[in-house]
Amino acid sequence: MQHPKRAAPNILITGTPGVGKSTLCEKLSETTGLKWLEISKIAKENNCLEEYDEEYQCCVLDEDKLLDGLEEVMSCGGNIVDYHCCDLFPERWFDIVFVLRTDNTTLYDRLVGRGYSGKKLEDNIQCEIFQTILEEARASYATEIVHELSSHTPEELESNLQRICLWLQQWFNDTNNQ
Ligand code: DAT
């Protein structure tokens, strides 16, 4: 359902770390002028990270603080939200959700290239094998707005970009004709 007050839609780009969210979001933001919100970076810059979790090798997120801080910008619309999970965000924030997917070999190489190893590497590969983020997205948002995008090659990056731009154009057409 489209939000009546939004001048432009909000798009969620999610998926396991390494599937290509930032790469796609950066290009999408350049192409469309929509604002790219890198949630990990925003959380860090706004002191929304709590104590370090040794087991998972990452910081615990203060979700309430993060969401409160984003409410205003999200209600205006025109944002591309980039984050590796999706069930923390209010359903009403998004007009469409894209879950990027890669095969295990591609993801493994990308994560090793990023310096991941041990439990962190295994957990992320398993997350993709069990399509955890896709299931999370389907459980958190209306299934008709959740779409999977294959994200292995520069050609797929280009076709994903085109697909989202076409959807965006349609959103503006539909909104202007209402
Ligand atoms: P994420 O933001 O999901 O963690 P990323 O955008 O940082 O992922 O991408 C991880 C690596 O994979 C990075 O080296 C760029 C590369 N990559 C991303 N999308 C790609 C694509 N469609 N084709 C080839 N390489 C890609």
Side-chain angles (χ1 to χ4, degrees):
M1 196 179 64
Q2 288 173 10
H3 195 284
K5 282 188 239 154
R6 282 183 203 143
N10 288 320
I11 300 172
L12 174 60
I13 307 284
T14 189
T16 310
V19 289
K21 299 180 295 297
S22 308
T23 307
L24 176 64
C25 289
E26 186 175 16
K27 286 210 174 288
L28 190 59
S29 177
E30 277 168 16
T31 312
T32 62
L34 298 186
K35 195 172 177 193
W36 173 24
L37 302 181
E38 286 182 86
I39 298 301
S40 300
K41 206 166 155 186
I42 291 170
K44 206 171 179 181
E45 286 168 359
N46 293 279
N47 301 316
C48 300
L49 298 178
E50 296 172 334
E51 78 276 14
Y52 189 76
D53 186 314
E54 284 297 338
E55 190 185 356
Y56 292 100
Q57 297 172 37
C58 63
C59 290
V60 177
L61 179 66
D62 181 343
E63 291 185 5
D64 289 342
K65 187 173 179 186
L66 175 79
L67 298 182
D68 286 350
L70 287 170
E71 185 62 55
E72 198 176 330
V73 71
M74 291 304 293
S75 63
C76 294
N79 302 291
I80 306 163
V81 172
D82 165 1
Y83 199 46
H84 59 263
C85 13
C86 59
D87 61 354
L88 71 163
F89 303 116
E91 189 181 356
R92 64 188 155 77
W93 275 8
F94 298 106
D95 300 277
I96 197 155
V97 176
F98 292 101
V99 183
L100 301 194
R101 304 297 311 277
T102 53
D103 62 47
N104 306 335
T105 318
T106 306
L107 188 63
Y108 184 90
D109 291 346
R110 287 182 188 172
L111 292 179
V112 168
R114 192 185 268 187
Y116 283 24
S117 62
K119 180 165 170 52
K120 194 169 182 174
L121 177 61
E122 274 170 38
D123 284 352
N124 281 299
I125 298 290
Q126 280 212 4
C127 176
E128 191 57 14
I129 291 173
F130 291 118
Q131 54 183 51
T132 309
I133 310 300
L134 180 64
E135 300 297 333
E136 192 179 299
R138 286 178 174 154
S140 307
Y141 303 94
T143 42
E144 63 271 21
I145 72 158
V146 176
H147 305 274
E148 270 184 272
L149 294 176
S150 181
S151 173
H152 301 85
T153 59
E155 291 73 26
E156 284 186 339
L157 174 63
E158 192 52 40
S159 70
N160 291 338
L161 201 57
Q162 281 183 17
R163 180 171 166 190
I164 301 173
C165 287
L166 280 174
W167 174 84
L168 191 62
Q169 189 59 54
Q170 192 61 51
W171 189 94
F172 283 116
N173 290 346
D174 292 349
T175 306
N176 291 337
N177 289 334
Q178 269 173 10

